[in-house]
């Protein structure tokens, strides 16, 4: 890690659910201490409404986010790349820290099914933050 703040990129296929919730949690919990990005290998046209609702329930607004296409430069400039079910579609760059989070895909699910995914993401974000920003 450099002396500047760490950059974390969350990547899933559609950039509409898991990666958006993870980015929302990290922005919420880290404030401006971490640069946060998210992208998809095949981005959807809008964020999953159940993901938006599940995050709203915990006071985090992700309605302003838009699914983004994963760009080589974005991945190249990130310190930590966290993939969520995009498999071989996610590029691998030497020297980057990678984590692959096995999470259920919230696509097509109601908010009841998305809540446990949201909560698991929060737990993982808290662990990541403790590692990135030791007290």
């Amino acid at each position: 890690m450099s002396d500047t703040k760490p950059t974390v990129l969350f990547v899933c296929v559609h950039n509409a659910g898991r990666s958006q919730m993870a980015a929302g949690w990290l922005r919420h919990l880290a404030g401006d201490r971490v640069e946060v990005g998210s992208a998809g290998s095949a981005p959807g046209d809008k964020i999953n409404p159940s993901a938006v609702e599940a995050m709203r329930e915990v006071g985090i607004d992700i309605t302003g986010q838009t699914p983004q296409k994963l760009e080589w430069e974005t991945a190249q400039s990130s310190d930590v790349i966290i993939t969520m079910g995009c498999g071989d579609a996610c590029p691998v760059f030497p020297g980057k820290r990678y984590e692959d989070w096995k999470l259920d895909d919230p696509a097509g699910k109601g908010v009841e099914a998305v809540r446990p995914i949201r909560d698991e993401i929060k737990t993982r974000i808290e662990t990541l933050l403790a590692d990135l920003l030791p007290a």
Side-chain angles (χ1 to χ4, degrees):
M1 292 276 181
S2 61
D3 295 333
T4 59
K5 46 185 162 180
T7 303
V8 178
L9 178 65
F10 297 101
V11 182
C12 65
V13 177
H14 300 301
N15 189 219
R18 294 166 289 192
S19 55
Q20 293 287 357
M21 289 191 289
W25 273 120
L26 187 54
R27 285 187 196 101
H28 179 74
L29 296 170
D32 61 1
R33 298 176 297 160
V34 177
E35 289 288 331
V36 181
S38 71
S41 51
D45 55 358
K46 65 181 181 5
I47 295 188
N48 178 329
S50 295
V52 169
E53 176 62 20
M55 293 301 283
R56 190 187 62 73
E57 291 176 353
V58 293
I60 301 173
D61 181 6
I62 59 171
T63 55
Q65 304 302 314
T66 311
Q68 302 292 319
K69 177 93 175 118
L70 177 61
E71 301 291 346
W72 190 89
E73 297 78 17
T74 308
Q76 182 64 36
S77 65
S78 299
D79 298 308
V80 181
I81 299 174
I82 296 176
T83 58
M84 303 173 171
C86 59
D88 297 337
C90 292
V92 175
F93 296 93
K96 301 293 174 192
R97 172 177 163 185
Y98 281 90
E99 290 185 26
D100 185 42
W101 292 0
K102 304 280 188 234
L103 297 161
D104 289 335
D105 188 346
K109 294 186 167 89
V111 72
E112 300 78 20
V114 174
R115 284 183 192 117
I117 302 169
R118 171 200 69 200
D119 296 344
E120 164 134 0
I121 290 170
K122 179 185 183 192
T123 301
R124 289 173 184 243
I125 293 293
E126 289 169 339
T127 303
L128 176 70
L129 260 179
D131 189 44
L132 287 179
L133 305 171

